[in-house]
Amino acid sequence: MNYNTKRRVAALLAVPALLFTAACGSDSDSSDGGASAGVAQVDGKVGEKPKISVPKEGDPSGKTVVETVSQGSGTAAKASDFVRLDWTVEKWGEDQELGGTWAATSGESAPRRQSVEQIGKPSQQLPEKVLAAVKGQKPGSRVLVQGTAGDLIGESLNPSSGINQKDVLIWVVDVAGVGTVDAKGEAKGEQAATEAGLPEVKAPSQKAATITIPKNTKAPKDLKEQVLIKGDGKKVEAGQGLVAQYTGVKWEDGKKFDSSWDHGGATAFQIGTGSVVPGWDKGLVGKNVGDRVLLVIPPSLGYGSSPNSELSKNTLVFVVDILDVV
């Protein structure tokens, strides 16, 4: 999966030190069941960082193994569902985390960064087979996936990672949330006129919004936001996975640089954790499911801190339909 600058709005911006350059793998055998010979042991409560241990004697299983360590409750994740996940990965025989979401936050009450993914779609953070193991799991479940790097990651293994194709990797994934959302969903209701000095918005059904920048008007220096359609769903909280449709244009020339409608519809990301541009965190936390929100984001709250981004000097204008949270 190749995310370019246009897709970074919808993708996690801070990717941990991963072992792969894209998510893919090859076919393999897998098995479900309790702990068995040649399989890592996982201890600890779901929702807390797991402790992974391997047998002191014997070799790891020669095939990829998928085991449900702990079964949650609620509705099981289906193909194309959106999921919010915690995970960690270690190499067999080495008590060292190679990547994961369990890093401590800067504040006691601040939510941790987690992975928000759509089952069946490529991920920047999890190999295809690891994400596929979440299908059929309920919120609160913990899953172990063990296999060689060659089988789980394949040709996408980063050659500078220090891991070779034959090394056995152990992933432990906690399912924190599951949501079923129509990929073609959109905010419903009468849209309010935009306030003076803000761009005009026309949002035809099932298409990217048309955003018209006001003529002879300087871009605002501060974040501007307006709810164009008021929803009546859940309030968006920091740390949740937010599923949305969006369209973005540059204030400077009015040109569209991205839209979820151009990439198959609804996309998801974690909100309120610095995983997306600050303007999204500030402007969307506290809104409601069903809202259509207009955001005008100055460079300091956009890609201004990313000098290599082609959008680093632009004021960004977004129309965001909040479809659900997971």
Side-chain angles (χ1 to χ4, degrees), residues 19-26 149-159 165:
L19 309 176
F20 54 96
T21 55
C24 68
S26 57
D151 186 50
L152 293 179
I153 302 175
E155 295 181 358
S156 296
L157 180 66
N158 188 338
Q165 298 279 349

Side-chain angles (χ1 to χ4, degrees), residues 260-281:
S260 59
W261 292 107
D262 298 336
H263 307 289
T267 190
F269 50 90
Q270 193 181 25
I271 194 71
T273 60
S275 300
V276 289
V277 293
W280 281 47
D281 283 343

